[in-house]
Amino acid sequence: MRDLDISEVAKRSGVPASTLRYYEERGLITAIGRRGLRRLFDPGVLERLDLIALGRAAGFPLDDIVPMVRPDAAPHIDRAKLLDKADELDRMIRRLGMLRDGLRHAAACPEPDQLQCPKFRRILRINARRRTA
């Protein structure tokens, strides 16, 4: 496959050219040259961008992603960080599930005022404790 200019990378990856330039500035990707004024990238940049997108979707900050996808070496994904992030996502899923269930309960609760509902009040207390913890 031939080298891709920045507009082709943006089109194929769905990542705006401004973000590609930012990623290059941050050391996540590297241009291999220029065609006129346009940056050129190796086609492998698309897979690297997929890794970056996956990391971002999982909630990793760019500072944590940089060492995982250094453009000067093969990607090195820290398994311990992946496990920590998976545990964090599990906690978030449990919390969001509880919130979802609480909202559904409040919507269907027969009490005229949700604040009179013991179950809803318990959900409020639990959520308040998590905010202050």
Side-chain angles (χ1 to χ4, degrees):
M1 183 182 247
R2 63 180 174 72
D3 297 337
L4 306 171
D5 74 27
I6 193 166
S7 65
E8 291 172 290
V9 173
K11 183 178 178 182
R12 289 186 186 190
S13 68
V15 177
S18 59
T19 302
L20 295 172
R21 288 188 290 273
Y22 178 70
Y23 284 175
E24 185 178 16
E25 182 182 305
R26 293 290 308 268
L28 291 156
I29 60 175
T30 301
I32 58 171
R34 292 198 179 260
R35 182 181 304 139
L37 295 176
R38 293 179 177 242
R39 291 169 169 86
L40 289 176
F41 294 92
D42 179 272
V45 75
L46 297 172
E47 185 173 77
R48 191 169 299 277
L49 289 169
D50 289 342
L51 286 169
I52 295 166
L54 181 63
R56 298 292 289 158
F60 283 103
L62 284 180
D63 287 340
D64 286 351
I65 295 172
V66 170
M68 293 182 192
V69 298
R70 293 183 340 222
D72 60 338
H76 173 72
I77 300 169
D78 184 325
R79 292 174 192 268
K81 282 190 179 197
L82 293 179
L83 290 173
D84 289 345
K85 183 56 76 174
D87 291 342
E88 180 184 324
L89 290 172
D90 280 339
R91 289 187 297 275
M92 184 183 298
I93 289 166
R94 281 192 301 276
R95 184 179 62 81
L96 290 173
M98 185 193 78
L99 288 172
R100 177 204 58 220
D101 294 346
L103 292 173
R104 285 196 173 132
H105 175 79
C109 183
E111 295 286 345
D113 176 359
Q114 285 91 349
L115 293 176
Q116 294 174 2
C117 174
K119 184 173 182 176
F120 189 69
R121 293 186 66 78
R122 191 182 96 237
I123 292 166
L124 286 174
R125 283 192 307 275
I126 290 169
N127 192 57
R129 272 189 257 135
R130 288 191 176 164
R131 261 195 348 258
T132 59

